[in-house]
């Protein structure tokens, strides 16, 4: 399993970013996927989940209405569109290959991409 995130960076509060995750080494279209994040000094937390075909999506309450998870199974790529970013969204963001019922800490994930929201 290989997962490579990209798209992080420094953004002002209220701004937007789109993260990408290129997947390889497993049948991407047969795997649910998740985005998780680790804020500075804190543990991993769920951000959003998408089912194999994309019909089911869930999001943490803290990002609902601001973040959108999507996937392109023809490109083996997962995305996270982040809008109206807040300083509390500052974290390292990871994509993770998930089970059909959601993410667990043991699921394989990439090396992460850092998002910093600051003025």
């Amino acid at each position: 399993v290989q997962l490579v995130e990209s798209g992080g960076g420094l953004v002002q509060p209220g701004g937007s970013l789109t993260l990408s995750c290129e997947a390889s080494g497993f049948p991407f279209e047969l795997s649910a996927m998740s985005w998780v994040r680790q804020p500075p000094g804190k543990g991993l937390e769920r951000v959003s989940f998408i089912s194999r075909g994309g019909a089911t999506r869930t999001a943490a309450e803290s990002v609902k209405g601001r973040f959108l998870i999507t996937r392109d199974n023809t490109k083996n790529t997962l995305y996270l569109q982040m809008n109206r970013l807040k300083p509390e969204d500052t974290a390292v963001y990871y994509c993770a290959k998930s089970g059909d019922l959601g993410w667990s800490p043991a699921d394989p994930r990439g090396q992460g991409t850092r998002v910093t929201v600051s003025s």
Side-chain angles (χ1 to χ4, degrees):
V1 173
Q2 271 205 310
L3 300 164
V4 180
E5 302 94 338
S6 61
L10 173 64
V11 62
Q12 291 188 340
S16 299
L17 278 177
T18 297
L19 307 183
S20 300
C21 171
E22 294 186 17
S24 61
F26 67 100
F28 180 74
E29 70 278 8
L30 298 183
S31 180
M33 298 293 295
S34 295
W35 284 100
V36 300
R37 67 186 182 186
Q38 186 166 24
K42 298 184 179 179
L44 287 167
E45 59 186 44
R46 294 177 178 84
V47 176
S48 195
F49 166 90
I50 188 167
S51 60
R52 302 178 186 188
T56 299
R57 303 178 205 180
T58 62
E61 284 299 320
S62 59
V63 306
K64 236 174 227 183
R66 300 188 298 121
F67 290 12
L68 179 65
I69 188 170
T70 59
R71 65 189 296 162
D72 186 338
N73 286 348
T74 67
K75 296 181 179 179
N76 287 1
T77 303
L78 179 72
Y79 302 97
L80 184 69
Q81 183 179 338
M82 306 186 295
N83 299 315
R84 303 199 306 278
L85 282 159
K86 304 176 180 180
E88 51 263 44
D89 295 317
T90 294
V92 178
Y93 284 73
Y94 302 89
C95 69
K97 179 180 179 298
S98 302
D100 288 338
L101 298 180
W103 172 76
S104 74
D107 289 341
R109 59 183 183 267
Q111 84 291 343
T113 186
R114 185 175 301 275
V115 172
T116 302
V117 184
S118 174
S119 53

